[in-house]
Amino acid sequence: MNFNTLTATHISDLKAMVSEDRFSTGESVLKLHAKDQSHHRGCRPEAVIWPQDTAEVVAILKYANANQLPVVGWGSGSSLEGNPIPVQKGLVLDFTQMNRILDVREEDFQVDVEPGVVYQDLNEHLKNTGLFFPPDPGARATVGGMIANNASGTRTVYYGSTKDYVLKLKIVLASGEILEMGRRVAKTSSGYDMPHLFVGSEGTLGIVVEATLRLAGLPEEFSAAVVTFPSIEAASKAVSNIVRYGLNPAALELLDASCIELFNKEKALGLEISPTLFIEFHGPSMAYLSEIMGMTEEICKETGSLAFNPGLGREARNRLFEARHELGEMITRAHPDCRIQVLDAAVPMSTYPEIIALAKQAPEETGIKGYAFSHAGDGNLHLCLAGRKDEKGDWDLIDQIGQRLVSKAISLGGTATGEHGVGIGKRKYMLDEHGNSLAWMKRIKALFDPHGILNPGKIFP
Amino acid sequence: MNFNTLTATHISDLKAMVSEDRFSTGESVLKLHAKDQSHHRGCRPEAVIWPQDTAEVVAILKYANANQLPVVGWGSGSSLEGNPIPVQKGLVLDFTQMNRILDVREEDFQVDVEPGVVYQDLNEHLKNTGLFFPPDPGARATVGGMIANNASGTRTVYYGSTKDYVLKLKIVLASGEILEMGRRVAKTSSGYDMPHLFVGSEGTLGIVVEATLRLAGLPEEFSAAVVTFPSIEAASKAVSNIVRYGLNPAALELLDASCIELFNKEKALGLEISPTLFIEFHGPSMAYLSEIMGMTEEICKETGSLAFNPGLGREARNRLFEARHELGEMITRAHPDCRIQVLDAAVPMSTYPEIIALAKQAPEETGIKGYAFSHAGDGNLHLCLAGRKDEKGDWDLIDQIGQRLVSKAISLGGTATGEHGVGIGKRKYMLDEHGNSLAWMKRIKALFDPHGILNPGKIFP
């Protein structure tokens, strides 16, 4: 695809579509929209527009489509695989001003939102209803970005991913056509499942301008434990058994000793420096939770746990998960001369100890500092690798580690990305993972966006 | 689309692709594949083929595509909206001989199956693993048919629909191309969600030849209750409140007095003849279940329940659900001179009492005998209507009732079909329900099946 560079005419035409203060070509604005939180090289767009309603999005897309200008949707820039980096320049549509919570229907367990709503703000808004939107990617992500990447996180093992909560979408296609898909019902078997085609499509098929989300009931009670193990292999075996015995944890996070060291350093948590599981259960009563926790303790002991500390109060639990959510930043701070790459892959549960072993061994063999942590309960692994900014040698090694780990995950029947999306970094694995299905994804892309203006350079190799 | 009639050459070519005994043009065989369990008029195919492996399906589809012959996949013929009726004649591929359980991976909670496996047989096979495939459409449906229709049933309110259990599909496209889509992982954000595009597409996009299904853990304990109400409105209000209070029933079935009357007559259940809820909970311990059951009783009393009978044993519970699953046949037997039409629609939970009221009122106004029963917990309603076989007047009235009910469901934000699929009968509502998304579904159909040979005459008006 060839794209046009933004001309003075384009600029004046686009400016006229929104109010003056919602169009910018200012250097600092362009810089802020050049890069997400990934290690990928940034690229400045030529202009940033803050739409406030569907009609504006329609007008902008129609114009961009007619003038062959690339368009990328932007939430909070918290993605980790370069997903919204405007690699072909063009326009960024920043949705932070299109962030209304349109309707809460408590009795239906549903909410209608605009894409710019930050999910923590949504849950804050919902707190007196007893309902919440469970996917918990950690960063201050927008719902639009979460839908684009099918985001998930610590609670997914129990509550599912974003895709499990999207009932209905209003989408603007590249042509400017508005498409409503899905229904406000708990179940339907009516025609093709269009919403699920758009969830996780990373803004390459259309732009979400409204979503109806299903909500879950807030749990009555919770119970959390911290468990330490002599090795990451033993911890991962415990994970596999907890899942196998159907204990349904609401969070099952594995952290290696390096991560725990950072927690103690930055948060003074005073944890044993050893491979560790954070385990949480949600349930209707404390009696039930103690029963489940007892079974969990037994399983952990069988795989050689060193210490099992249950009964964390809400405050201690929140401090742990806050630390967990800040881990990426802690690693960055611990290596001021380095860039950090986060690897993300997922495998079938039975092969989890195998991928964890490789995540430990591969960095050790190369001398690159690695931090392994993961949403272990759903077979999802993250490995943070620190490479010195200008040392090509480090980055070649990091590439090799990434290649080994992701190829291994795929060969185990797994996926190149459990939750960060394909973005830029995982494109090279797509053929290996999807075979000839990839060609059909491309045909679907061409059907919905024939000029290829929507988030070009992503997903497809 | 114009299709060719099967010639002697076609017949001898197709016969050569499978063993002699797996191709038939015999009248009795054609008659058996002319009609599902719906009220829709049957249509005999020109030949029935029983494939035994993917290579045979590939060869048949390639040939059919080149010769413009319609092809319909066939499971057990238990669908209720005419979904597999070969309205354009041509070939039926009967998958009952392609029914192997290929691999059970207990630690991964996964199973690989061929499409002809009957789901009860699958669960029987799994029973010693502590795992099961939850969607429970009632009839002896095949997994292939369940995937085609995104089947659900009594357990969906808690466990979800078929779509929630499909991880990976092997599909043969109309061209004969084999497509593998999805991965054997609990979560992924890797490219477009192709499996969900095919689940519920009613065999119009491709033919499933293998599926990897996620499994759930069998519940430790269950508890069931039968609750009677003075009116169907009161019962439906209780449903709405049970869902609202987040009690997470594993089944929440509403039956009107006419249904209960049939249960007593055919199964001697001795139930109070009054609108009734069957409620079931699954959980880890009886203590937990009694707590939940207590709260349920309170809610039912608040909405005026006449009697609350908890503590059903496994045998009594099974007899109730067997009766529930046989209800369609009971209604047929009760009206030997009639054909029976089952209406299926779903609405947002808060509007459930409204649609239930209409389901009672509309048949009463016309003098047509109606039986209302439903998977109430997820806003899904069924209404069985009995019309004399050759009385056009009856069928005009039944059409009117259907039109009123489905249009009302759509106007409430609901769907024309909660679980039976679009098939033949719901095509006329598709534009109303999906708006311009329907045109995009058609474009996707044309992309995957450009000659339109796969299950023509379904889904699209």
Side-chain angles (χ1 to χ4, degrees):
Chain A
M1 297 286 177
N2 288 314
F3 298 105
N4 286 320
T5 302
L6 215 62
T7 63
T9 312
H10 294 144
I11 290 176
S12 85
D13 288 348
L14 288 162
K15 256 189 179 162
M17 295 178 190
V18 292
S19 63
E20 182 100 8
D21 58 330
R22 294 191 283 112
F23 180 99
S24 175
T25 54
E27 274 308 304
S28 64
V29 164
L30 301 185
K31 197 178 162 193
L32 278 170
H33 294 84
K35 204 175 153 359
D36 61 359
Q37 284 177 24
S38 73
H39 67 288
H40 293 288
R41 190 178 302 279
C43 179
R44 295 184 191 193
E46 294 161 283
V48 175
I49 312 177
W50 289 262
Q52 284 183 343
D53 62 35
T54 299
E56 290 181 351
V57 177
V58 166
I60 295 162
L61 282 176
K62 266 188 185 162
Y63 187 86
N65 199 40
N67 291 278
Q68 199 64 19
L69 304 173
V71 178
V72 181
W74 191 275
S76 66
S78 60
S79 54
L80 291 167
E81 206 52 89
N83 319 65
I85 295 179
V87 291
Q88 296 283 353
K89 308 189 195 289
L91 309 175
V92 159
L93 301 193
D94 181 319
F95 281 95
T96 48
Q97 292 190 33
M98 196 161 159
N99 65 343
R100 288 174 299 169
I101 296 167
L102 300 167
D103 191 19
V104 180
R105 293 181 297 281
E106 292 183 38
E107 286 189 57
D108 295 335
F109 283 49
Q110 290 175 16
V111 64
D112 298 338
V113 295
E114 290 184 333
V117 176
V118 172
Y119 86 91
Q120 289 96 333
D121 297 342
L122 173 59
N123 282 335
E124 181 63 24
H125 183 89
L126 293 169
K127 74 178 177 197
N128 293 326
T129 64
L131 301 172
F132 78 123
F133 174 53
D136 172 35
R140 281 188 60 80
T142 61
V143 170
M146 290 174 69
I147 291 170
N149 282 1
N150 183 28
S152 58
T154 57
R155 296 188 188 121
T156 294
V157 62
Y158 187 74
Y159 291 98
S161 304
T162 302
K163 73 175 167 56
D164 300 306
Y165 292 86
V166 175
L167 296 177
K168 187 169 182 291
L169 291 176
K170 190 193 275 187
I171 296 274
V172 182
L173 297 180
S175 64
E177 182 178 344
I178 300 169
L179 222 50
E180 296 205 40
M181 48 185 72
R183 303 294 293 171
R184 289 177 174 161
V185 283
K187 75 188 212 191
T188 175
S189 284
S190 181
Y192 305 160
D193 184 350
M194 301 285 284
H196 278 98
L197 185 58
F198 281 78
V199 176
S201 66
E202 301 187 23
T204 64
L205 294 178
I207 302 268
V208 177
V209 288
E210 195 180 313
T212 298
L213 305 173
R214 186 168 79 81
L215 300 170
L218 279 167
E220 288 299 312
E221 303 285 354
F222 85 96
S223 178
V226 176
V227 197
T228 51
F229 290 86
S231 69
I232 200 154
E233 291 82 359
S236 70
K237 190 66 201 156
V239 165
S240 181
N241 286 346
I242 289 167
V243 173
R244 176 68 194 89
Y245 286 104
L247 301 186
N248 283 332
L252 184 45
E253 297 284 307
L254 186 155
L255 299 115
D256 72 8
S258 312
C259 297
I260 300 297
E261 219 171 334
L262 285 183
F263 283 5
N264 286 348
K265 192 177 133 200
E266 291 224 7
K267 298 280 176 182
L269 293 183
L271 298 167
E272 188 69 32
I273 297 178
S274 192
T276 299
L277 294 181
F278 288 179
I279 309 177
E280 181 167 323
F281 294 97
H282 291 175
S285 69
M286 285 315 291
Y288 161 61
L289 291 173
S290 345
E291 196 181 322
I292 291 283
M293 202 48 105
M295 293 164 76
T296 306
E297 183 167 8
E298 243 172 75
I299 289 171
C300 290
K301 276 189 178 153
E302 272 167 23
T303 53
S305 61
L306 302 173
F308 188 92
N309 303 303
L312 270 62
R314 195 166 288 271
E315 202 194 333
R317 179 263 174 218
N318 288 349
R319 284 175 66 208
L320 276 182
F321 277 85
E322 262 169 48
R324 168 64 189 82
H325 283 328
E326 285 175 33
L327 185 54
E329 294 150 45
M330 289 183 196
I331 296 171
T332 303
R333 283 193 289 268
H335 300 272
D337 58 334
C338 291
R339 277 193 295 140
I340 306 297
Q341 175 163 350
V342 197
L343 287 172
D344 165 42
V347 296
M349 212 51 230
S350 60
T351 66
Y352 195 69
E354 221 172 313
I355 199 83
I356 275 285
L358 183 62
K360 188 186 162 200
Q361 178 199 339
E364 279 174 6
E365 281 174 11
T366 56
I368 294 287
K369 179 69 181 172
Y371 297 82
F373 56 99
S374 63
H375 308 312
D378 34 34
N380 191 190
L381 168 81
H382 296 324
L383 176 63
C384 265
L385 298 163
R388 284 163 294 177
K389 275 170 187 161
D390 299 316
E391 288 285 341
K392 189 176 169 304
D394 282 11
W395 287 92
D396 288 346
L397 291 173
I398 287 174
D399 277 354
Q400 283 168 28
I401 297 169
Q403 186 85 39
R404 275 180 76 183
L405 207 83
V406 176
S407 299
K408 179 75 179 177
I410 293 174
S411 76
L412 293 170
T415 176
T417 164
E419 56 178 23
H420 294 172
V422 181
I424 294 170
K426 294 295 173 58
R427 290 178 303 155
K428 59 182 171 187
Y429 302 107
M430 288 300 99
L431 187 60
D432 195 15
E433 177 165 344
H434 298 294
N436 53 343
S437 277
L438 185 66
W440 287 96
M441 291 184 200
K442 259 190 181 155
R443 289 180 192 118
I444 290 172
K445 162 72 176 173
L447 184 66
F448 283 95
D449 178 21
H451 300 147
I453 64 161
L454 293 175
N455 204 5
K458 308 301 162 55
I459 296 184
F460 299 104
Chain B
M1 297 285 179
N2 287 314
F3 297 105
N4 287 320
T5 301
L6 215 62
T7 64
T9 312
H10 292 145
I11 290 177
S12 87
D13 288 347
L14 287 163
K15 255 189 178 163
M17 293 178 193
V18 292
S19 62
E20 182 99 8
D21 58 328
R22 294 190 284 111
F23 180 97
S24 176
T25 54
E27 275 307 305
S28 65
V29 163
L30 300 185
K31 196 178 163 194
L32 279 169
H33 294 83
K35 202 174 154 2
D36 60 359
Q37 286 178 23
S38 73
H39 68 287
H40 293 288
R41 189 178 303 278
C43 180
R44 296 186 189 190
E46 292 161 285
V48 175
I49 311 178
W50 290 263
Q52 285 184 344
D53 61 35
T54 299
E56 289 180 352
V57 176
V58 167
I60 295 162
L61 283 176
K62 266 188 185 162
Y63 187 87
N65 200 39
N67 291 278
Q68 198 64 18
L69 305 172
V71 179
V72 182
W74 190 276
S76 66
S78 60
S79 54
L80 292 166
E81 205 52 89
N83 319 65
I85 294 178
V87 291
Q88 295 283 352
K89 308 188 194 287
L91 309 175
V92 159
L93 301 192
D94 181 319
F95 281 95
T96 48
Q97 292 190 33
M98 197 161 159
N99 66 342
R100 288 174 300 169
I101 296 168
L102 300 167
D103 191 18
V104 180
R105 293 181 297 281
E106 292 183 37
E107 286 189 56
D108 295 334
F109 283 49
Q110 290 175 16
V111 63
D112 298 338
V113 294
E114 290 184 332
V117 176
V118 171
Y119 87 91
Q120 288 98 332
D121 298 342
L122 173 60
N123 282 336
E124 181 63 25
H125 182 89
L126 292 170
K127 74 177 176 196
N128 294 325
T129 64
L131 301 172
F132 78 124
F133 174 55
D136 173 34
R140 281 188 61 78
T142 62
V143 170
M146 290 173 69
I147 292 171
N149 281 2
N150 184 29
S152 57
T154 57
R155 297 188 188 120
T156 294
V157 61
Y158 185 74
Y159 290 98
S161 304
T162 302
K163 75 174 165 57
D164 300 306
Y165 291 86
V166 175
L167 296 177
K168 188 169 182 289
L169 291 176
K170 189 192 275 186
I171 296 273
V172 182
L173 296 181
S175 65
E177 184 180 344
I178 300 168
L179 222 50
E180 296 205 39
M181 48 185 72
R183 304 293 293 171
R184 290 177 174 161
V185 283
K187 75 188 212 190
T188 176
S189 284
S190 181
Y192 304 160
D193 185 350
M194 300 286 283
H196 278 99
L197 185 58
F198 281 77
V199 176
S201 66
E202 302 189 22
T204 63
L205 295 178
I207 301 269
V208 176
V209 289
E210 195 180 313
T212 297
L213 305 173
R214 186 168 79 82
L215 300 170
L218 279 166
E220 288 300 313
E221 304 284 355
F222 86 96
S223 180
V226 175
V227 196
T228 51
F229 289 85
S231 69
I232 201 154
E233 290 81 359
S236 71
K237 190 66 200 155
V239 165
S240 183
N241 286 346
I242 288 167
V243 172
R244 177 69 193 92
Y245 286 104
L247 300 186
N248 282 332
L252 185 44
E253 297 284 307
L254 186 155
L255 299 115
D256 71 8
S258 312
C259 298
I260 299 297
E261 217 171 337
L262 284 183
F263 284 4
N264 285 348
K265 189 177 135 201
E266 291 225 6
K267 299 278 176 182
L269 293 182
L271 297 167
E272 187 70 32
I273 296 178
S274 192
T276 299
L277 294 182
F278 288 179
I279 309 177
E280 181 166 323
F281 293 96
H282 291 173
S285 69
M286 285 314 291
Y288 160 61
L289 291 172
S290 347
E291 196 180 323
I292 292 284
M293 202 49 105
M295 293 164 77
T296 305
E297 184 168 6
E298 243 173 75
I299 289 172
C300 289
K301 277 188 179 150
E302 272 167 24
T303 52
S305 61
L306 301 172
F308 188 91
N309 303 302
L312 270 62
R314 195 166 288 271
E315 202 194 336
R317 180 261 173 220
N318 287 349
R319 283 174 68 209
L320 275 183
F321 276 84
E322 261 169 48
R324 168 64 188 83
H325 284 327
E326 285 173 34
L327 184 55
E329 295 149 45
M330 290 182 196
I331 295 171
T332 303
R333 283 193 290 268
H335 300 272
D337 58 333
C338 290
R339 278 192 297 140
I340 306 298
Q341 175 161 350
V342 197
L343 286 174
D344 165 42
V347 296
M349 212 52 231
S350 60
T351 65
Y352 195 69
E354 219 172 313
I355 198 85
I356 275 285
L358 183 62
K360 189 186 163 199
Q361 177 198 339
E364 280 174 5
E365 282 174 10
T366 56
I368 294 288
K369 178 69 182 170
Y371 297 83
F373 56 99
S374 64
H375 309 311
D378 33 35
N380 190 190
L381 167 82
H382 296 323
L383 176 63
C384 264
L385 298 165
R388 284 164 293 177
K389 277 170 184 158
D390 299 314
E391 288 285 341
K392 191 177 168 303
D394 282 11
W395 287 91
D396 287 346
L397 291 173
I398 288 174
D399 277 354
Q400 282 169 28
I401 296 169
Q403 186 86 39
R404 275 181 76 183
L405 206 81
V406 175
S407 299
K408 179 75 179 176
I410 293 174
S411 77
L412 292 169
T415 175
T417 164
E419 56 178 25
H420 294 173
V422 182
I424 294 169
K426 294 295 173 60
R427 289 177 304 155
K428 61 183 168 187
Y429 302 107
M430 288 300 98
L431 186 61
D432 195 15
E433 177 165 343
H434 297 295
N436 52 344
S437 277
L438 185 65
W440 287 96
M441 292 184 199
K442 258 191 182 155
R443 289 179 192 118
I444 290 172
K445 162 72 176 175
L447 185 66
F448 283 95
D449 178 21
H451 301 147
I453 63 160
L454 293 175
N455 204 6
K458 310 299 162 56
I459 296 182
F460 300 103

